[in-house]
Amino acid sequence: LKKIRATCLQTASDQEKSVAGRKEELGVLNKAIDILDRTTEGPASFVQVHAASMFAPSRSKVLLAVKQLASKHHSTLLAQLASRIASVLKHSTSYGADPFAKVKSLIKDMITKLGREADAELSEKQYCDSEMKKAAWKHDDLADDIARLDVKIDSTESADALVVDHIKVDE
């Protein structure tokens, strides 16, 4: 019971930290999508003419935001996302492709993946909570059994003492 309790308490603590970190990650990723949406507004010719300078990986607000988040949370997933974004921004402008669509796709895929991970952690926490309740019920049942058996032992000892007294009286 102590082992299960310690494991479940640690899991609950880890899950709370993970949820807080995930909320911040999702906030930054949604902000990145907003930045992309704002940047893509306006005439297409403007985007095409200035694509090389606007989407330079070193000047990308989206890339900077994702890199900062990856560094802050020591997240390899976010660092990989930042690397993919940098690659897309660098290479898509030279091929005339729309870097925004690919970057949005990468970010949305990351949000989906983070959502799946959050669901998995939540189900683990729910399992842990369920096991804690079962363990508490079992503990209570066993405590009741111990109390019942203690009463039975006491009554048996009393009956034995009476028999011993009757035997001494009869002798």
Side-chain angles (χ1 to χ4, degrees), residues 1-71:
L1 180 62
K2 288 180 183 179
K3 184 178 179 182
I4 291 172
R5 181 176 176 84
T7 303
C8 287
L9 289 175
Q10 181 62 41
T11 301
S13 173
D14 292 347
Q15 200 266 342
E16 288 173 9
K17 290 176 187 174
S18 178
V19 166
R22 195 168 319 283
K23 281 182 183 178
E24 187 174 353
E25 289 172 349
L26 290 174
V28 169
L29 292 174
N30 285 323
K31 183 179 175 183
I33 289 174
D34 289 342
I35 291 169
L36 287 173
D37 287 339
R38 280 185 277 134
T39 307
T40 58
E41 292 176 6
S45 61
F46 174 75
V47 173
Q48 291 170 354
V49 169
H50 298 296
S53 63
M54 281 179 56
F55 308 130
S58 61
R59 295 184 58 199
S60 172
K61 291 179 185 177
V62 172
L63 180 59
L64 181 63
V66 174
K67 279 184 176 182
Q68 286 174 344
L69 186 62
S71 177

Side-chain angles (χ1 to χ4, degrees), residues 76-91:
T76 56
L77 286 177
L78 289 174
Q80 289 172 354
L81 176 63
S83 176
R84 285 189 211 121
I85 290 171
S87 177
V88 165
L89 292 176
K90 181 179 179 182
H91 297 292

Side-chain angles (χ1 to χ4, degrees), residues 122-134:
L122 181 61
S123 66
E124 182 180 349
K125 184 181 182 318
Q126 289 170 341
Y127 170 77
C128 221
D129 290 345
S130 170
E131 289 300 309
M132 285 294 291
K133 286 179 185 176
K134 288 178 188 176

